[in-house]
Amino acid sequence: MGYQPTCNRARGRLKTAQQQNIDKQILCLHHAMAEKLIANHHYLSQIIETIEARYECGRMRYGAYLFWSSLLEHIEQPTLFMDTLLEDSPQLRAYRRQTPLVGILTEQERQIALEKIMQT
């Protein structure tokens, strides 16, 4: 019986390690997406449409809607935009997991961004 809680704790640590790895990958992808978005504002309308569509159909909560909408208003301030998007907090990790920044990176750009993780 004493072994089972240890097993559960080990399983919990494994899940946490997996989640941390996923969060690291998502963070790296968001860094690449943000750089591309800052350089190419023509993606903004696509992202705004995604945010609006997700919110209207109930796939995005109001807090996330406000976050993403207000973040995009700061695209002309690259440092603020990047710092906010890449903030290491539980809330921002959750927002990034449901990102509306889709369709910005090509598959090749995505692979290059993920390869950077392997080098660190």
Side-chain angles (χ1 to χ4, degrees):
M1 232 180 195
Y3 179 75
Q4 189 173 7
T6 303
C7 182
N8 287 340
R9 279 195 302 261
R11 205 175 312 147
R13 278 193 303 267
L14 178 61
K15 185 175 181 184
T16 300
Q18 288 173 341
Q19 288 175 342
Q20 287 174 346
N21 188 42
I22 291 168
D23 285 334
K24 189 176 179 181
Q25 291 175 357
I26 291 171
L27 184 66
C28 188
L29 290 170
H30 275 78
H31 188 272
M33 288 185 286
E35 286 180 338
K36 189 170 180 180
L37 181 59
I38 288 167
N40 302 286
H41 290 192
H42 69 272
Y43 291 104
L44 284 174
S45 60
Q46 168 190 324
I47 295 166
I48 292 168
E49 287 177 25
T50 300
I51 292 168
E52 295 296 331
R54 287 184 184 180
Y55 182 67
E56 287 176 17
C57 74
R59 290 183 49 218
M60 180 181 285
R61 291 181 171 221
Y62 187 64
Y65 175 81
L66 287 178
F67 169 76
W68 289 110
S69 298
S70 62
L71 178 66
L72 293 179
E73 291 176 8
H74 294 91
I75 192 73
E76 299 294 338
Q77 300 170 302
T79 302
L80 177 62
F81 183 83
M82 292 288 278
D83 288 349
T84 303
L85 179 62
L86 305 176
E87 179 183 312
D88 185 24
S89 70
Q91 187 64 58
L92 267 289
R93 285 190 296 270
Y95 286 159
R96 285 190 298 264
R97 282 180 174 251
Q98 300 293 319
T99 188
L101 305 182
V102 294
I104 295 175
L105 298 179
T106 64
E107 184 58 29
Q108 182 180 11
E109 291 167 331
R110 194 180 81 74
Q111 288 300 321
I112 290 169
L114 291 174
E115 285 172 7
K116 288 180 183 178
I117 293 173
M118 304 305 267
Q119 296 170 357
T120 60

